Amino acid sequence: MELSQKQAGPASGSPLPAPSRTPTPAWAAADDSVAASTGGLQAYYYDLCMEKSQEIKPFILQILQEVDEEIEKGSVGITLNIAGNSRSLSGERVTGEDFWILCRVLKNNSFINGLDVRYNLLSDVGAYYAAKLLQKQRNLIYLNLMFNDIGPDGGELIAKALHKNRTLKHLRMTGNKIENKGGMFFAAMLQINSSLEKLDLGDCDLGMQSVIAFATVLTQNQTIKGLNLNRPILYGEQEESTVHLSHMLKENQCLIELHICKHDIKNCGMKQLCDALYLNRSLQYLDVSCNKITQDGMKYLADVLKSNTTLEVIDLSFNRMENAGANYLSDALASHNRTLKALSVVSNNIEGKGLVALSQSMETNPTLSHIYIWGNKFDGATCVAYSDLIHTGRLKPDNTDVEPFVVDGHVYLAEVSNGLKRHYYWTPGYGEACSPSSNAGFSLAPRDELESSRTDGCYQVESVLKNKILKTSAVV
């Protein structure tokens, strides 16, 4: 349902009616965590807007009404989702000033422990209020601020607020251009903060200095379990950042998930990473997609897989392993490795022989359950091999990105929307948003205390009590 001023209130231009007030439930009568207004969060938001002469946003009223209804049912651990790219918002966005009011509403609420405001217009103004919220809200464990036009100054405010915060477990800053300056403040924060478990700084224009700072800090930090440093702005051909990240992996035995997509990693850098993986005993999910790794780099990785017993998910998409690289991997998977569960080789310039070799490794390897091959060079033998894997039940249709079909007696493969992280940036408008088949990487390598499923690239965090997640609608 699309909400607008006209739909939510009387005739266009008329003021919105005040929300009806309902009696405070008995279980909340003496609890300071409920909104100051006896009408709940919706009425409290309305009153604050009137008091501060702020525009009342109908879509926020609607969402807060849904939260009030869930609270009345006794729900706890609610994630409030106000995604700016929601179908129902019809172009509406939360601004920094709107977020000021929203933070006031949520400040003392113990029923909400997750806040998702991705794809809005918070800017550094909203970052200021997000920092204040992190200082005062002691129940928030999940905050998604992706793509909100937050710059280096806003990044600094949020990072400094986390120095004293002891509750937030997952922060997503994806797509906010905090640059090297903001990255340095987040790296410094990790020297102090002991509660944050997952930090996503992908597409934030980090510089070489801040990437190296993260690698250095994580040799000591024992709390972070997931880190995303995708697409920094790096200069030079020496792969300095990869060298430092490799050293970190030798020392750190707590990190479970590492994303270093678009780091310009070449074979030399891949060798550094593989040398570190011989010593690392914690990493389960390695993402080195969109780099410049060829068959030689794949040989280093194949050698690691012969002895490594922790890696469960590897994303090699958009490299250039070709047939030789695929053969190296298939040999290791067929004869040695029995822990890898998912492998993505999407768009790696692999031809029929290499793809068939990978399919044959699945026949002898009982553990490898997910494989993604789209974007390579299929021939008839490839199509038949993967069709047979699917039809015999060895490869489940949800665990691959191809589907066989027959035309005039010939087998072909079509692409289907499954993958390791299909919903990193977006969520489908229809169907199951959190389907494991589209986000297999995150369901196969969960963190210890944080269950997560991908929606629009955002981990919808659930506590061990199975939090209820509120959504306004599917996101496009």
Side-chain angles (χ1 to χ4, degrees):
M1 178 181 69
E2 292 186 0
L3 293 173
S4 66
Q5 184 86 6
K6 185 173 182 180
Q7 289 171 311
S12 180
S14 302
L16 287 168
S20 59
R21 301 187 184 277
T22 56
T24 304
W27 45 264
D31 192 345
D32 185 52
S33 65
V34 291
S37 169
T38 57
L41 296 176
Q42 184 195 42
Y44 189 26
Y45 169 76
Y46 182 92
D47 290 345
L48 279 174
C49 287
M50 296 297 288
E51 177 186 341
K52 303 297 182 182
S53 301
Q54 282 291 121
E55 180 185 359
I56 298 171
K57 296 295 179 70
F59 70 94
I60 297 180
L61 278 176
Q62 174 66 29
I63 294 167
L64 293 179
Q65 180 183 351
E66 294 175 12
V67 175
D68 285 336
E69 292 170 357
E70 293 300 325
I71 291 175
E72 288 184 14
K73 294 176 185 177
S75 299
V76 294
I78 299 168
T79 294
L80 179 59
N81 190 326
I82 313 182
N85 59 345
S86 169
R87 283 180 179 272
S88 67
L89 301 192
S90 187
E92 295 275 9
R93 293 290 188 276
V94 177
T95 65
E97 290 73 19
D98 297 328
F99 197 60
W100 167 44
I101 299 295
L102 195 58
C103 289
R104 291 281 299 272
V105 172
L106 301 179
K107 182 174 63 175
N108 295 318
N109 191 287
S110 63
F111 303 100
I112 295 174
N113 67 4
L115 178 59
D116 184 345
V117 287
R118 64 191 184 274
Y119 292 108
N120 281 292
L121 301 172
L122 301 189
S123 71
D124 287 346
V125 174
Y128 172 82
Y129 295 112
K132 292 294 184 183
L133 184 67
L134 288 171
Q135 292 170 347
K136 297 178 181 179
Q137 225 280 14
R138 298 304 181 186
N139 300 293
L140 203 65
I141 64 172
Y142 167 66
L143 179 60
N144 187 341
L145 299 171
M146 69 179 288
F147 290 100
N148 263 289
D149 293 330
I150 297 172
D153 292 339
E156 176 183 352
L157 293 170
I158 293 171
K160 287 184 175 179
L162 289 172
H163 284 198
K164 296 183 179 180
N165 182 284
R166 292 295 179 266
T167 56
L168 194 73
K169 293 183 179 296
H170 177 197
L171 173 63
R172 184 152 196 216
M173 291 289 292
T174 320
N176 293 298
K177 309 307 179 185
I178 64 172
E179 301 177 355
N180 193 68
K181 174 186 174 183
M184 291 299 292
F185 282 108
F186 274 98
M189 174 272 295
L190 292 182
Q191 293 180 296
I192 301 169
N193 183 287
S194 60
S195 60
L196 195 66
E197 295 184 8
K198 178 161 182 67
L199 177 61
D200 191 335
L201 294 175
D203 302 295
C204 286
D205 288 0
L206 302 178
M208 178 72 77
Q209 183 185 16
S210 55
V211 172
I212 292 175
F214 278 108
T216 303
V217 168
L218 288 180
T219 59
Q220 301 297 324
N221 183 290
Q222 301 297 305
T223 307
I224 288 288
K225 294 179 171 62
L227 179 66
N228 188 320
L229 298 176
N230 286 349
R231 212 224 68 189
I233 306 299
L234 304 177
Y235 298 98
E237 298 294 325
Q238 302 304 313
E239 300 187 71
E240 293 178 50
S241 62
T242 309
V243 171
H244 284 83
L245 288 168
S246 300
H247 175 69
M248 177 271 292
L249 288 174
K250 292 179 182 178
E251 302 292 330
N252 186 301
Q253 299 300 322
C254 296
L255 192 67
I256 293 174
E257 178 182 333
L258 177 63
H259 297 264
I260 45 177
C261 167
K262 300 181 182 177
H263 269 242
D264 202 26
I265 299 172
K266 305 178 185 67
N267 293 329
C268 181
M270 192 62 182
K271 184 179 186 303
Q272 296 276 352
L273 289 172
C274 290
D275 288 345
L277 291 173
Y278 282 111
L279 302 175
N280 184 279
R281 291 293 179 267
S282 65
L283 196 69
Q284 297 178 24
Y285 187 164
L286 176 63
D287 176 7
V288 288
S289 58
C290 301
N291 282 294
K292 298 179 179 179
I293 308 167
T294 67
Q295 55 183 280
D296 292 337
M298 297 305 162
K299 187 177 187 306
Y300 301 134
L301 179 60
D303 289 341
V304 169
L305 290 177
K306 292 177 181 178
S307 59
N308 182 281
T309 58
T310 57
L311 279 171
E312 297 183 2
V313 182
I314 301 179
D315 192 347
L316 300 169
S317 304
F318 302 99
N319 282 286
R320 197 176 180 85
M321 70 172 66
E322 301 180 316
N323 279 353
N327 286 329
Y328 291 137
L329 293 176
S330 62
D331 289 344
L333 293 171
S335 305
H336 299 86
N337 185 280
R338 291 296 181 268
T339 54
L340 193 71
K341 297 178 181 178
L343 174 67
S344 177
V345 294
V346 169
S347 296
N348 261 272
N349 202 38
I350 308 172
E351 298 176 345
K353 290 183 179 180
L355 293 168
V356 170
L358 287 171
S359 73
Q360 291 172 344
S361 70
M362 294 195 70
E363 296 175 1
T364 57
N365 186 322
T367 310
L368 185 63
S369 57
H370 297 66
I371 189 165
Y372 305 95
I373 62 170
W374 188 258
N376 292 294
K377 300 177 180 179
F378 300 162
D379 60 7
T382 302
C383 297
V384 170
Y386 285 88
S387 176
D388 289 345
L389 285 176
I390 293 171
H391 288 145
T392 59
R394 174 61 188 88
L395 181 60
K396 294 182 179 179
D398 282 348
N399 295 352
T400 186
D401 58 350
V402 294
E403 180 180 12
F405 65 98
V406 179
V407 176
D408 295 334
H410 296 284
V411 179
Y412 299 92
L413 297 177
E415 183 183 21
V416 292
S417 187
N418 297 330
L420 293 179
K421 49 180 183 179
R422 287 282 179 154
H423 299 159
Y424 181 72
Y425 292 109
W426 62 281
T427 300
Y430 303 95
E432 187 180 358
C434 298
S435 171
S437 63
S438 294
N439 308 283
F442 307 103
S443 59
L444 290 172
R447 281 156 298 284
D448 294 342
E449 298 178 6
L450 230 64
E451 293 184 30
S452 58
S453 55
R454 272 288 171 122
T455 300
D456 195 60
C458 131
Y459 298 90
Q460 292 289 9
V461 177
E462 298 179 67
S463 71
V464 292
L465 297 176
K466 297 296 182 184
N467 302 340
K468 180 172 181 61
I469 297 169
L470 291 180
K471 293 182 179 296
T472 59
S473 71
V475 180
V476 292

